[in-house]
Amino acid sequence: MLDLLAGRKLEDLRAYARQHPDFLTLKPKAVVMDLAQVYHTWISECFPGAIRIADRFHVHGYVIESVQDVRGSVQQMLGPRAKAILKSHHRLLNPPADTLPEKSKAQLDRLLGFSPLLRSVWEWKEAFSRWYDCSPDARIASLSFNRWCQQGESISVPALLHTQSRTLQSWHFSRMKSASFIWLKISTTNF
């Protein structure tokens, strides 16, 4: 089922469920949503047995936001020329490195050379993509997720800790179930 809902407030969502009684008869195994707590509350009320899966787009957005927050603080400590270079090429920090053309990779390496902290946070961002995109099964996904969280905690930057707390609050309970469901779904679609 796919539908656009009129609002994002919990009462709006509850009203939707009342106005669409067939909605509550659904028995989804999983529901993919963004990280808003109101969605988690509503879905747990409507479908308590469904696995709640945070969508990659929103989680990745939080990760990128953290990288850019760190970039902003690093940028303030640089000299005028380095500050201007980092500011004008800051978007190179966002996409996965392997998607960049060679010239952009060289520019990115120059940016990362401005600060070990910026490089560490960028590597944490890259590790997110590897964990999310490359885990072949639920066991590896769980191990990789834990390693990614430990990597972020070792950097000890408030922006990362804030992002990780938002991510972990949404994913902690169902991360293993979600990984199992996603892996199972991928496996069965290959037949």
Side-chain angles (χ1 to χ4, degrees):
M1 176 176 177
L2 179 64
D3 203 352
L4 297 176
L5 307 181
R8 290 182 51 107
K9 294 181 180 164
L10 187 55
E11 195 46 49
D12 296 334
L13 300 173
R14 288 175 174 151
Y16 175 88
R18 285 190 302 272
Q19 294 163 3
H20 299 84
D22 289 348
F23 175 74
L24 294 174
T25 65
L26 297 172
K27 302 285 184 223
K29 293 184 187 221
V31 177
V32 180
M33 65 186 76
D34 76 18
L35 296 174
Q37 185 59 46
V38 69
Y39 291 138
H40 288 274
T41 300
W42 183 56
I43 291 300
S44 67
E45 289 174 3
C46 295
F47 310 115
I51 298 166
R52 294 180 310 277
I53 302 172
D55 71 278
R56 184 190 197 286
F57 175 82
H58 286 89
V59 175
H60 191 253
Y62 287 136
V63 172
I64 295 296
E65 182 181 308
S66 293
V67 172
Q68 291 299 333
D69 286 349
V70 170
R71 187 255 328 148
S73 63
V74 165
Q75 189 173 298
Q76 292 174 359
M77 296 183 282
L78 298 175
R81 181 156 167 66
K83 185 184 288 189
I85 292 168
L86 186 54
K87 186 175 182 179
S88 67
H89 296 290
H90 73 278
R91 286 188 177 84
L92 289 174
L93 298 166
N94 297 352
D98 60 358
T99 65
L100 295 173
E102 288 306 313
K103 182 178 177 186
S104 295
K105 285 180 184 177
Q107 289 173 318
L108 173 63
D109 196 50
R110 183 176 184 193
L111 300 181
L112 297 174
F114 290 142
S115 163
L117 174 60
L118 184 58
R119 182 175 292 277
S120 294
V121 173
W122 177 83
E123 288 171 350
W124 174 76
K125 185 265 308 179
E126 289 289 296
F128 170 81
S129 294
R130 282 191 304 278
W131 160 71
Y132 199 96
D133 296 338
C134 302
S135 295
D137 59 42
R139 186 183 65 77
I140 302 280
S142 183
L143 290 171
S144 298
F145 178 77
N146 289 329
R147 197 173 15 237
W148 177 72
C149 291
Q150 290 168 356
Q151 182 181 359
E153 289 167 5
S154 73
I155 298 172
S156 296
V157 173
L160 293 187
L161 297 176
H162 180 64
T163 294
Q164 281 194 306
S165 70
R166 284 196 286 193
T167 303
L168 291 174
Q169 284 171 0
S170 296
W171 284 14
H172 178 73
F173 177 71
S174 62
R175 74 177 185 256
M176 190 62 197
K177 290 181 182 177
S178 300
S180 298
F181 177 79
I182 292 166
W183 177 65
L184 180 63
K185 182 178 177 192
I186 291 169
S187 296
T188 58
T189 58
N190 291 333
F191 289 102

